[in-house]
Amino acid sequence: MSPAPMRKDAARNRQRIVDVGRQLVNDGAPLQLNDVARLAEVGVATVYRHFPTPEALMETLATPGLEALVARAERALTEDEPWQALADFLDTTLEAQLTDPAISIVRAAPHHVLPRTTELATTLDSLAGELLDRAHAAGTVRTVVTWDDLRPLMCGAAYAATVHADGQETRLASGRRYLSVMLHGLRR
């Protein structure tokens, strides 16, 4: 049985909360639910009713980006050239991490509070592992490399690009340079 549809005012308040949360995350500010309530001009109880924890709000913000990455990984698995499919997927992943801070935060979290986030993260890891397995089978990637190795390396490349470069374009260029070095090391 699906939940009852949300009242229009409740849906409007939820969207205001999400919009404020997105702005705070994009600005690099912490997600404090009391601050979100103040900035969204809603009651604190309203925020907590929709998002019981800051992590729930953060995961909600990351969901569209995670869904897009899952879709990209699924498309990559249909591509003919395993190495290029993996490299392009990793490039898309890096770009998502550098343009949507919520994705990096959620992907680096040791656990998730929303079942949908857990589902997306598990699916994404599984699909990425399949992409890597295809590249292994094609003989284009060193066999000692696992997705458990690549995932933190991707987070590290995104983090390094964020810390060592100012502005989104410079971060993307730096991140892609770091990814290129990493891909060069992976290739057989």
Side-chain angles (χ1 to χ4, degrees):
M1 191 165 157
S2 63
M6 198 179 293
R7 291 185 341 251
K8 286 184 181 181
D9 63 324
R12 196 171 35 252
N13 285 340
R14 184 183 190 282
Q15 188 58 53
R16 287 168 62 183
I17 294 164
V18 168
D19 292 344
V20 166
R22 169 54 62 197
Q23 189 60 50
L24 288 171
V25 169
N26 288 350
D27 291 345
L31 266 187
Q32 303 292 329
L33 295 184
N34 289 356
D35 292 342
V36 171
R38 182 179 46 78
L39 294 168
E41 299 178 347
V42 300
V44 174
T46 299
V47 174
Y48 281 90
R49 192 170 27 260
H50 290 286
F51 304 102
T53 65
E55 293 81 11
L57 177 53
M58 184 68 74
E59 289 179 21
T60 298
L61 297 173
T63 295
L66 293 173
E67 290 171 341
L69 286 174
V70 166
R72 178 62 186 100
E74 289 170 339
R75 282 192 313 277
L77 284 169
T78 67
E79 295 171 11
D80 292 333
E81 212 318 289
W83 168 255
Q84 197 59 52
L86 175 65
D88 290 347
F89 170 72
L90 293 176
D91 182 70
T92 300
T93 299
L94 180 70
E95 182 175 337
Q97 289 177 298
L98 292 173
T99 58
D100 183 351
I103 291 175
S104 289
I105 292 167
V106 169
R107 289 296 283 160
H111 63 278
H112 303 111
V113 297
L114 301 177
R116 178 68 176 145
T117 308
T118 301
E119 174 190 340
L120 287 168
T122 301
T123 301
L124 187 56
D125 287 338
S126 175
L127 293 170
E130 288 180 49
L131 284 166
L132 183 58
D133 290 345
R134 285 181 64 220
H136 283 148
T140 57
V141 173
R142 297 173 192 273
T143 56
V144 296
V145 178
T146 69
W147 179 244
D148 287 337
D149 299 323
L150 279 183
R151 185 173 164 220
L153 287 172
M154 291 296 294
C155 289
Y159 177 78
T162 300
V163 170
H164 298 292
D166 293 326
Q168 186 165 313
E169 290 304 314
T170 307
R171 280 192 300 273
L172 285 169
S174 294
R176 287 197 167 107
R177 195 169 48 255
Y178 303 151
L179 178 61
S180 176
V181 169
M182 187 174 76
L183 290 173
H184 181 74
L186 297 175
R187 190 125 195 207
R188 270 177 77 159

